[in-house]
Amino acid sequence: MFLHSILQGSFEVKEITFPPQRKHNGFLQRQKRDWVIPPINVPENSRGSFPQDLVRIRSDRDKNLSLRYSVTGPGADQPPIGVFIIHPVSGQLSVTKPLDREQIAIFHLRAHAVDVNGNQVENPIDIVINVIDMNDNRPEFLHQIWNGSISEGSKPGSYVMTLTAIDRDDAKQPNGMLRYQILSQTPDTPSSNMFTINNETGDIITLAAGLDREKVQRYTLIIQATDMEGNPTYGLSNTATAVISVTDVNDNPPEFTSMTFYGEVPENRVDIVVANLTVTDKDQPHTTAWNTVYRIVSGDATGRFAIRTEPNSNDGMVTVVKPIDFETNRMFVLTVAAENQVPLIKGIHHPPQSTATVSITIIDVNESPYFSPNPKLIRQEEGLMPGSVLVTFNAQDPDRYMQQTVRYSKLSDPANWLKIDPMIGQITTIAVLDRESMYVKNNMYNATFLATDSGIPPMSGTGTLQIYLLDINDNAPQVFPREVEICERPDPNAINITAVDADINPNAGPFIFELPFSPLDIKKNWTITRINGDHAQLSLKISSLDDGIYNIPIQITDSGNPSLSNTSYLRVKVCSCDMNGYCSGVAPIIGTGLGTGAIIAILLCIIILLTLVLMFVVWMKRRDKERQAKQLLIDPEDDVRDNILKYDEEGGGEEDQDYDLSQLQQPDTVEPDTIKPVGIRRMDERPIHAEPQYPIRSAAPHPGDIGDFINEGLKAADNDPTAPPYDSLLVFDYEGSGSTAGSLSSLNSSSSGGEQDYDYLNDWGPRFKKLADMYGGGDD
């Protein structure tokens, strides 16, 4: 098989024949080895007439057979379909339209030969069609504007940035080979050739020295890319813009705007700005090469000041960080230095920092007096009598250059034990110091005093006096608990008790427990045994004791020097106990009783309670009567409630009351005698006699509409079967006869009390003897 090329722009159609046959054993056979067919070159963008013949495909068997030729593959029967066609009889392969290498650079086709029946007579052969590139595309930059940067002061040959352009033509041919060049530079200072570009790679580098951001901050370059290896005649070109920013470096130190700064501050003031330091720096603002750091070089050995940088203005703010005493320092002269956050670059001939002087004046102000020491601790025995001098508690005025006086006063004295001399600060007692006071915590008593100077405005300071009170034996021991319970047949028959003393050692325990010799039945029935220094055990000597409450006197002596003794009463409740050892009932009072004051208080409470109940019942009854009377008003025209108001009436005294007081007794009609138990009638109950079911009311006419209203109300009440028999009497609780309390009428007055027998009060103990003497015993 042979391939004939197409040369010199005019097509000389050649033939491509299928591989020849060879004989084997007397038979013709096709050669199995594939033939290598050279590619067919077709230039892109051809303007010739179409279809344009490319090559003729022929089989040597077409002499004996009628053959049909076809091509397959992309561009023939596959997309893009119809670019290449073949004449089925002659085998002429043609292209139907111009080709574009940038879309498809190579076409791979297969040629086929079959007989009229469609039987394959030749093996398919491959045909490669190359599209020859033409310079039909300009270079295109990836970006129209390129941004780069270079530090000021950079040396020649420093890399800046790279620009890249692409050409859709064949990069292996001159049509796609690009070359770069700089067309212009703006501005052209300090040199018009500050930069150069590698014509093949597009790398921009510095060409000359002298980049200074403070003079030129940005350069603009016009870059051109040309194909055909930069041929200005035949090559196509395009341009882009390169913007090169000159970045800042620290090549300028900060410089103070003045050599001396001034400020003033009141004494004892902190966190306030004293002076404002200003600098200039030519470097780019708000960068590390521009930001200034201030430091104090000298003049502040005690660290009273600090300088912070204000970020927006780059100023130095001199601030007081520790209080300054005018009496110690009246003026400070500081030497300060300013430098950048980053050091200067090498080769700069300026000094790395700038210095200045700051003169600060301290202003004297009125200061508060102060106590020293504060708090002040003293030790003192309790029991110190009023008028005793404790201590002199003085305050000092720090204002030595002001002629001022100090006055003292008491600010806090919880127990009101102390006073202070307003002139000299001497503290004196005005009450007895008591360690056991509720205002003493852990033996310590705190009082606060105020010292005020005579300045304008006056200033004051406080001081605390701590008094550590030493204990003395001024409290007698007491028994604890004060009340206990014991079974009448105790098992075990002992009670543990404890001695308590408000004092502390050595004025407290160990304690001595004793029973007194009087009354005699105490030691007869009881015995006490000391368990340890603080506890003892009270035991019954007898096998059992009657139920009741017993007051057992117990004498306790502490260990103070001198010692104190006290007789405390232990209230012992003796009761019948259940199987679990708990009291099963309430025992009567034996051996003791209530005092006269307690009895009077109980009786007064009972009287007040009964009075409240009586008032409540009367109020309820009156409200029911008013409700019933209001229901009788049928005609609104007859209603006189809008202009007649009934208020509470006190009456005209006992002389005006024509009442039958016997009606206040328990009426027999309410509770018949047949249903009352025998022997429970009260002594002051009125005798039994027949009484009408309803009281007879006066039928005298009443004048006017009010009288008619009252008569209608009475008539309705009389005809009401549910109304009580006495609508003017109230029945209260009935205690019955035989009550040990008797009637409350005995409490009416002292005049009626003479008729009572109060001799039984002698049996209640010595506390009621005086009450019996006052109310009983005859005419006295």
Side-chain angles (χ1 to χ4, degrees):
M1 174 174 72
F2 299 92
L3 174 65
H4 298 274
S5 301
I6 303 170
L7 302 173
Q8 297 178 354
S10 62
F11 292 100
E12 181 182 354
V13 179
K14 300 296 182 181
E15 293 183 350
I16 298 177
T17 60
F18 285 90
Q21 297 177 345
R22 63 185 180 87
K23 282 187 177 183
H24 181 68
N25 296 329
F27 296 95
L28 291 176
Q29 292 183 346
R30 286 291 173 185
Q31 187 173 348
K32 294 183 179 179
R33 182 177 60 84
D34 292 336
W35 287 55
V36 178
I37 300 179
I40 301 172
N41 295 323
V42 179
E44 66 172 336
N45 303 323
S46 175
R47 298 182 180 180
S49 60
F50 295 97
Q52 186 177 12
D53 295 339
L54 298 180
V55 71
R56 181 183 178 188
I57 299 173
R58 188 182 65 81
S59 174
D60 55 3
R61 299 185 64 182
D62 60 356
K63 300 176 180 179
N64 301 324
L65 298 174
S66 178
L67 302 180
R68 298 290 182 269
Y69 298 96
S70 63
V71 290
T72 60
D77 61 344
Q78 299 177 18
I81 298 175
V83 176
F84 298 97
I85 59 175
I86 190 170
H87 193 278
V89 176
S90 63
Q92 183 67 47
L93 180 65
S94 304
V95 59
T96 62
K97 61 181 180 179
L99 301 180
D100 187 356
R101 191 202 67 85
E102 284 71 43
Q103 292 183 358
I104 301 177
I106 299 176
F107 291 92
H108 294 274
L109 304 179
R110 302 198 79 184
H112 305 271
V114 297
D115 58 17
V116 293
N117 296 322
N119 297 320
Q120 178 177 316
V121 296
E122 297 285 357
N123 291 329
I125 60 174
D126 294 327
I127 299 176
V128 177
I129 300 176
N130 290 330
V131 182
I132 303 303
D133 182 44
M134 304 294 289
N135 190 18
D136 58 346
N137 291 279
R138 289 180 177 275
E140 297 288 342
F141 282 94
L142 297 181
H143 305 287
Q144 191 60 35
I145 298 178
W146 297 74
N147 293 305
S149 62
I150 183 67
S151 299
E152 62 175 329
S154 297
K155 297 179 179 180
S158 300
Y159 171 80
V160 180
M161 60 192 301
T162 299
L163 274 69
T164 302
I166 59 175
D167 196 320
R168 297 181 62 190
D169 293 327
D170 190 354
K172 297 180 181 179
Q173 299 297 325
N175 295 336
M177 295 180 179
L178 306 181
R179 296 294 181 266
Y180 301 92
Q181 64 175 336
I182 297 176
L183 297 182
S184 65
Q185 169 191 310
T186 305
D188 57 357
T189 57
S191 171
S192 60
N193 296 318
M194 292 297 297
F195 304 94
T196 186
I197 188 170
N198 188 307
N199 65 345
E200 293 185 2
T201 63
D203 295 341
I204 298 178
I205 59 177
T206 57
L207 182 62
L211 291 174
D212 189 353
R213 190 204 66 85
E214 286 72 40
K215 295 180 179 179
V216 179
Q217 300 181 3
R218 184 180 295 106
Y219 288 92
T220 302
L221 307 179
I222 304 299
I223 308 299
Q224 183 183 57
T226 307
D227 59 13
M228 296 296 290
E229 298 181 294
N231 189 313
T233 303
Y234 302 104
L236 301 177
S237 62
N238 214 334
T239 61
T241 301
V243 179
I244 302 175
S245 298
V246 181
T247 59
D248 187 40
V249 297
N250 192 15
D251 56 347
N252 294 280
E255 296 180 2
F256 283 104
T257 59
S258 175
M259 295 302 297
T260 305
F261 296 89
Y262 299 93
E264 61 181 18
V265 59
E267 64 174 329
N268 301 321
R269 297 287 299 277
V270 294
D271 296 330
I272 60 173
V273 177
V274 179
N276 188 16
L277 311 180
T278 56
V279 295
T280 59
D281 195 318
K282 297 179 181 180
D283 293 321
Q284 185 176 357
H286 307 293
T287 63
T288 55
W290 178 81
N291 294 336
T292 303
V293 178
Y294 300 88
R295 60 188 178 90
I296 300 174
V297 177
S298 63
D300 185 24
T302 56
R304 303 285 179 176
F305 302 93
I307 306 178
R308 61 179 178 86
T309 303
E310 208 287 321
N312 293 325
S313 63
N314 211 25
D315 294 344
M317 317 302 287
V318 182
T319 307
V320 181
V321 296
K322 292 182 181 180
I324 302 174
D325 187 8
F326 172 83
E327 287 71 26
T328 304
N329 297 286
R330 297 188 180 186
M331 176 173 288
F332 287 86
V333 178
L334 308 179
T335 301
V336 297
E339 55 190 2
N340 293 127
Q341 286 183 342
V342 295
L344 293 174
I345 61 173
K346 296 180 180 179
I348 302 300
H349 301 291
H350 297 287
Q353 65 182 17
S354 176
T355 59
T357 301
V358 183
S359 179
I360 302 174
T361 302
I362 311 302
I363 302 174
D364 190 17
V365 297
N366 188 21
E367 301 176 72
S368 300
Y370 62 93
F371 290 88
S372 180
N374 188 17
K376 186 170 187 176
L377 176 65
I378 63 172
R379 301 171 66 89
Q380 177 63 50
E381 280 192 353
E382 65 172 329
L384 187 66
M385 299 307 294
S388 302
V389 177
L390 281 180
V391 69
T392 298
F393 198 16
N394 290 126
Q396 300 178 12
D397 191 348
D399 300 308
R400 296 194 301 269
Y401 300 100
M402 297 182 182
Q403 301 299 324
Q404 297 181 151
T405 58
V406 178
R407 296 292 182 268
Y408 301 93
S409 61
K410 186 170 64 173
L411 187 62
S412 172
D413 183 13
N416 197 25
W417 287 344
L418 309 173
K419 70 175 181 179
I420 187 169
D421 187 289
M423 300 298 294
I424 62 175
Q426 187 180 71
I427 298 176
T428 309
T429 61
I430 58 176
V432 178
L433 305 184
D434 185 8
R435 192 196 66 85
E436 290 74 36
S437 170
M438 60 180 296
Y439 302 104
V440 177
K441 306 297 181 183
N442 299 324
N443 301 328
M444 192 76 70
Y445 180 77
N446 294 323
T448 306
F449 299 92
L450 186 70
T452 306
D453 62 20
S454 58
I456 301 176
M459 302 297 292
S460 60
T462 60
T464 300
L465 177 65
Q466 294 181 332
I467 306 175
Y468 187 88
L469 292 173
L470 304 175
D471 186 42
I472 63 173
N473 194 16
D474 57 346
N475 292 278
Q478 302 286 334
V479 67
F480 181 82
R482 305 300 297 268
E483 297 183 1
V484 295
E485 289 185 356
I486 189 173
C487 297
E488 62 181 353
R489 296 182 182 276
D491 186 18
N493 59 350
I495 302 167
N496 290 333
I497 60 175
T498 304
V500 293
D501 196 326
D503 295 322
I504 58 177
N505 289 331
N507 296 318
F511 300 96
I512 299 174
F513 301 86
E514 295 177 313
L515 293 177
F517 292 96
S518 178
L520 297 178
D521 57 345
I522 298 299
K523 283 200 169 185
K524 177 181 178 183
N525 298 335
W526 305 88
T527 182
I528 191 167
T529 304
R530 178 179 172 185
I531 299 176
N532 53 35
D534 297 330
H535 302 85
Q537 192 175 74
L538 183 67
S539 306
L540 272 174
K541 285 184 176 181
I542 58 179
S543 59
S544 65
L545 194 64
D546 293 337
D547 292 1
I549 297 178
Y550 298 84
N551 285 330
I552 310 300
I554 300 176
Q555 183 176 348
I556 306 176
T557 305
D558 60 23
S559 298
N561 186 17
S563 61
L564 290 180
S565 297
N566 183 42
T567 300
S568 300
Y569 284 88
L570 177 65
R571 184 181 175 91
V572 181
K573 179 180 179 181
V574 180
C575 58
S576 300
C577 298
D578 55 18
M579 60 183 301
N580 295 322
Y582 297 105
C583 287
S584 58
V586 180
I589 299 176
I590 300 178
T592 185
L594 298 175
T596 304
I599 293 177
I600 294 175
I602 293 174
L603 294 177
L604 288 176
C605 291
I606 295 174
I607 293 172
I608 293 172
L609 180 62
L610 292 177
T611 303
L612 293 176
V613 172
L614 179 61
M615 293 175 63
F616 177 75
V617 173
V618 171
W619 177 77
M620 291 294 294
K621 187 65 177 179
R622 179 177 298 173
R623 191 178 65 171
D624 292 341
K625 290 177 64 179
E626 291 177 355
R627 185 184 299 112
Q628 293 174 5
K630 291 177 182 179
Q631 294 175 354
L632 297 176
L633 298 179
I634 300 175
D635 190 357
E637 297 178 356
D638 298 333
D639 190 357
V640 297
R641 290 177 293 174
D642 292 337
N643 48 21
I644 296 179
L645 301 177
K646 187 177 188 306
Y647 299 94
D648 193 12
E649 298 183 20
E650 295 287 340
E654 293 182 357
E655 292 80 10
D656 296 338
Q657 309 301 324
D658 189 14
Y659 294 147
D660 184 7
L661 297 179
S662 64
Q663 298 296 327
L664 295 176
Q665 305 297 329
Q666 179 72 12
D668 295 307
T669 57
V670 177
E671 185 179 1
D673 186 67
T674 56
I675 65 174
K676 288 186 178 181
V678 178
I680 65 170
R681 183 177 300 278
R682 288 167 37 182
M683 298 301 295
D684 56 350
E685 183 177 339
R686 65 190 172 102
I688 301 173
H689 54 82
E691 294 183 358
Q693 184 71 15
Y694 288 90
I696 300 175
R697 297 183 178 90
S698 174
H702 295 274
D705 294 338
I706 298 177
D708 295 339
F709 169 75
I710 295 175
N711 286 332
E712 290 176 2
L714 291 176
K715 186 182 298 183
D718 290 339
N719 295 329
D720 185 3
T722 62
Y726 301 99
D727 51 351
S728 61
L729 297 180
L730 298 177
V731 180
F732 300 99
D733 192 14
Y734 172 63
E735 292 185 350
S737 62
S739 172
T740 58
S743 173
L744 292 179
S745 63
S746 61
L747 300 177
N748 288 340
S749 64
S750 60
S751 61
S752 62
E755 299 175 0
Q756 302 293 327
D757 185 6
Y758 292 97
D759 292 337
Y760 64 90
L761 294 177
N762 292 319
D763 299 333
W764 287 14
R767 297 185 179 181
F768 290 89
K769 182 174 179 58
K770 183 172 182 60
L771 185 63
D773 294 339
M774 293 174 60
Y775 290 93
D779 297 337
D780 297 338

